[in-house]
Amino acid sequence: MAAREYSDRHGSPVDDGAPPPKRLRFASPVDDRDAASRSRSKGADGEILPHPLHIRPSGNALTASYNLRDTSTGLFAILPDELVLQLLGYLDAQSLVQLGNTSKGIYGFCRSEELWRPLFIESPESSQAFKWQGTWRRTHLQLPSPQESQIPLPNLFSDVLFRPYHMSQISLSPYTRNIPPKNQIQTFTDISADSFETHYSSTPFILTSPIKQWPGFQTWSLDHLVTEYGDIKFQAESVNWRLRDYVAYMNNQSDESPLYLFDKSFVEKTDMESGFSVPEWAGKDYFELLGEQRPDRRWMILGPERSGSTFHKDPNATSAWNAVIFGEKYWIMFPPNTPPPGVFVSDDQSEVTSPLSIAEWFVSFHKAARKTPGCIEGICRAGEILHVPSGWWHLVVNLDASLALTQNFVPKKKLPAVLGFLRDQACSVSGFDTAKVQDPYGLFVERMRETYPEELDAAMAILDKSKRSKWEELVKSDGGGGFSFGFGGDDSDDD
Ligand SMILES: O=C(O)CCC(=O)C(=O)O
Ligand SMILES: [Fe+2]
């Protein structure tokens, strides 16, 4: 399932049993209210500045004489911190401010950005023009930074309160640099349509030169986008914000999982279509046969450093290209039949659970992932384009503020995978306008039969063969492996 299909890409992380952060040194309290200067002021030695309210991890309470979470939260003290935060999630902004005035311990909980983010996102103000104030709380209360109280709480020890901020500050370079040569995604300067079709449609690769010719590559800086399209609204997860508001947010936030702009209508909303072209190497895209009825296919993707896409496969077993206009992206990928460590897939592959933010996944699973056979990694820089083959797992994180364009397509070699997906995983099919298309598989088969009957027959023959051989494999073994019609996710190379 594609990142953009997740409603909970940034769902709350569940595991707080992580070892206490070792790299943290607690500097003496400093008045550093501005989030941007805070994130910029990470020292060259990679040390992390303290939580804005000086809240510390639970483990540090062992050497402290008291913990405000026990002495200053009244009856809340008997509840686990997660539950306290969950209960506070039922309050509106005014109640949260008032309750926060009752004691220092409760103030610490009521200041959590995890509470203020949904409050603002779900408020009517979020769907109008607004002024981003550097944090979700200040934005919701329309409170410029100097007017907000800052009561330091060095004696409040809570992983639940500390962790999201900590995750927003850790350096990602220990994970994204020093890629072992055997894991490196292949890089070419360019590739021909022939070579792609014959040899590389099942292989991830990065092309280093082609998009440098795009007019958009020469012109689309962040400033340019704001000047040209600042008042146009773009989709960023569940919000639809003016671009200038999103960019203000992007430039000054400390979210563990920054809101990611992922807009499928950018061509209709702007004149950006003249700034890029579909790469020739991608060859014929068989979903073009569907015309107006084809599923969503292209997205403009914009986000700050640390924003990105948690592990997913692209929709409907399509392949994709992803071109970076500015910034750079770290990719980590796994073959179709190798779910990445920390990612859980239901038997029929329709549900993917990855209950971690990108930063937490790095901290908890990257080491194991790097050693997993099949794992490949790479950095796609400005002007470069990356190929995601049908069915491959991928996680992507922006190492810098980045703009990318992506498009999904169906190359000839992936017709069996796509037909198999539409036919056998109908519940997971996505991106079609269901008011216009009730039977995506039937429609695609019909269009293929009209225009490319031979390709259709060949693809169906491969699909049937692959299904038969899966069946034979199953009846030969003791059947304990669990059967799944995952042709979209089949790595058997049909090239
Ligand atoms: O640029 C990214 O964040 C990756 C996007 C992606 O994987 C997708 O569009 O499916
Ligand atoms: Fe993707």
Side-chain angles (χ1 to χ4, degrees):
M1 190 185 291
R4 50 190 167 264
E5 306 300 332
Y6 287 31
S7 54
D8 61 342
R9 276 175 54 211
H10 301 301
S12 55
V14 289
D15 179 19
D16 272 295
K22 291 198 183 67
R23 296 174 51 244
L24 208 76
R25 192 208 300 143
F26 294 103
S28 59
V30 283
D31 188 4
D32 61 329
R33 292 175 190 181
D34 181 79
S37 71
R38 214 164 42 229
S39 62
R40 277 197 298 273
S41 56
K42 259 177 286 170
D45 59 356
E47 294 301 334
I48 297 167
L49 289 171
H51 185 280
L53 295 177
H54 307 292
I55 294 169
R56 296 191 275 171
S58 306
N60 291 36
L62 294 172
T63 54
S65 49
Y66 67 98
N67 183 353
L68 285 172
R69 67 100 39 232
D70 300 322
T71 61
S72 173
T73 58
L75 284 175
F76 280 126
I78 60 171
L79 303 176
D81 295 8
E82 290 87 346
L83 192 52
V84 175
L85 215 51
Q86 224 168 329
L87 290 175
L88 297 181
Y90 288 100
L91 299 185
D92 61 20
Q94 204 196 352
S95 312
L96 216 47
V97 171
Q98 283 171 350
L99 184 65
N101 287 338
T102 57
S103 79
K104 270 185 155 185
I106 292 182
Y107 168 80
F109 278 87
C110 290
R111 286 290 301 262
S112 167
E113 283 281 277
E114 309 293 287
L115 297 171
W116 289 95
R117 177 170 164 149
L119 271 179
F120 181 68
I121 284 181
E122 286 153 26
S123 73
E125 287 72 31
S126 168
S127 52
Q128 293 150 20
F130 66 89
K131 183 162 168 31
W132 175 254
Q133 301 280 4
T135 68
W136 292 100
R137 182 178 188 270
R138 290 206 294 264
T139 303
H140 195 54
L141 299 174
Q142 273 309 300
L143 206 57
S145 167
Q147 288 174 26
E148 189 185 43
S149 71
Q150 298 286 333
I151 301 172
L153 303 168
N155 274 87
L156 180 56
F157 300 94
S158 166
D159 284 344
V160 169
L161 299 181
F162 177 77
R163 193 199 47 75
Y165 179 75
H166 177 57
M167 286 297 139
S168 79
Q169 299 293 302
I170 60 161
S171 167
L172 297 182
S173 36
Y175 309 103
T176 59
R177 305 285 165 186
N178 300 321
I179 297 173
K182 70 171 180 41
N183 282 18
Q184 185 64 55
I185 295 175
Q186 290 184 67
T187 301
F188 313 119
T189 45
D190 206 350
I191 191 171
S192 68
D194 254 9
S195 176
F196 173 70
E197 185 180 315
T198 318
H199 302 295
Y200 290 102
S201 53
S202 294
T203 310
F205 55 77
I206 292 173
L207 299 179
T208 54
S209 80
I211 78 153
K212 291 179 182 145
Q213 305 312 318
W214 288 2
F217 177 68
Q218 328 280 344
T219 43
W220 294 332
S221 64
L222 205 47
D223 285 347
H224 176 93
L225 294 180
V226 174
T227 308
E228 292 295 312
Y229 315 121
D231 292 323
I232 298 176
K233 287 185 167 189
F234 288 85
Q235 198 72 37
E237 302 177 31
S238 60
V239 303
N240 199 17
W241 284 357
R242 291 187 317 171
L243 187 67
R244 68 176 73 259
D245 298 331
Y246 179 76
V247 170
Y249 160 81
M250 204 179 133
N251 285 338
N252 182 13
Q253 49 75 39
S254 311
D255 280 341
E256 175 180 9
S257 302
L259 212 52
Y260 205 17
L261 189 152
F262 230 103
D263 193 292
K264 62 183 179 195
S265 312
F266 71 101
V267 164
E268 291 74 20
K269 291 174 184 174
T270 67
D271 55 5
M272 289 171 78
E273 191 164 22
S274 57
F276 72 98
S277 50
V278 174
E280 273 172 28
W281 57 260
K284 200 186 337 257
D285 171 4
Y286 285 81
F287 264 180
E288 274 182 6
L289 292 174
L290 300 178
E292 294 284 281
Q293 287 151 304
R294 78 174 288 165
D296 301 331
R297 73 172 183 293
R298 54 190 174 190
W299 285 263
M300 164 179 156
I301 308 175
L302 178 66
E305 179 186 351
R306 291 161 186 286
S307 60
S309 305
T310 51
F311 272 111
H312 65 281
K313 292 182 175 188
D314 273 10
N316 308 323
T318 54
S319 301
W321 51 261
N322 182 302
V324 179
I325 312 291
F326 60 76
E328 50 183 39
K329 288 174 186 288
Y330 167 82
W331 290 74
I332 181 162
M333 308 177 78
F334 289 85
N337 291 330
T338 309
V343 174
F344 305 93
V345 189
S346 64
D347 280 348
D348 65 356
Q349 299 211 22
S350 67
E351 301 281 336
V352 177
T353 314
S354 172
L356 298 159
S357 69
I358 291 176
E360 254 196 329
W361 183 86
F362 276 117
V363 171
S364 312
F365 294 105
H366 185 268
K367 199 169 170 197
R370 210 166 234 187
K371 290 191 204 135
T372 302
C375 170
I376 54 169
E377 310 166 61
I379 294 177
C380 192
R381 301 190 164 82
E384 299 181 346
I385 192 164
L386 182 140
H387 168 235
V388 188
S390 162
W392 276 69
W393 293 99
H394 48 288
L395 173 148
V396 185
V397 71
N398 291 307
L399 302 179
D400 218 340
S402 298
L403 172 69
L405 299 185
T406 187
Q407 180 154 329
N408 289 78
F409 64 102
V410 180
K412 189 172 178 181
K413 287 284 175 65
K414 295 301 166 188
L415 280 168
V418 172
L419 286 161
F421 191 95
L422 297 182
R423 188 186 66 185
D424 302 327
Q425 291 180 248
C427 296
S428 304
V429 167
S430 63
F432 286 88
D433 179 347
T434 47
K436 291 191 196 139
V437 183
Q438 276 87 44
D439 175 15
Y441 171 70
L443 177 71
F444 189 41
V445 169
E446 183 189 306
R447 297 287 165 82
M448 284 290 298
R449 187 160 293 129
E450 282 162 15
T451 318
Y452 300 111
E454 281 166 22
E455 280 94 330
L456 176 65
D457 289 344
M460 293 310 278
I462 292 171
L463 189 55
D464 287 344
K465 199 171 131 217
S466 150
K467 193 169 168 181
R468 265 200 314 277
S469 63
K470 276 214 159 122
W471 177 251
E472 277 152 18
E473 207 179 286
L474 190 75
V475 292
K476 251 192 268 156
S477 75
D478 63 9
F483 185 61
S484 131
F485 292 107
F487 297 105
D490 196 334
D491 198 25
S492 59
D493 204 340
D494 37 342
D495 289 1

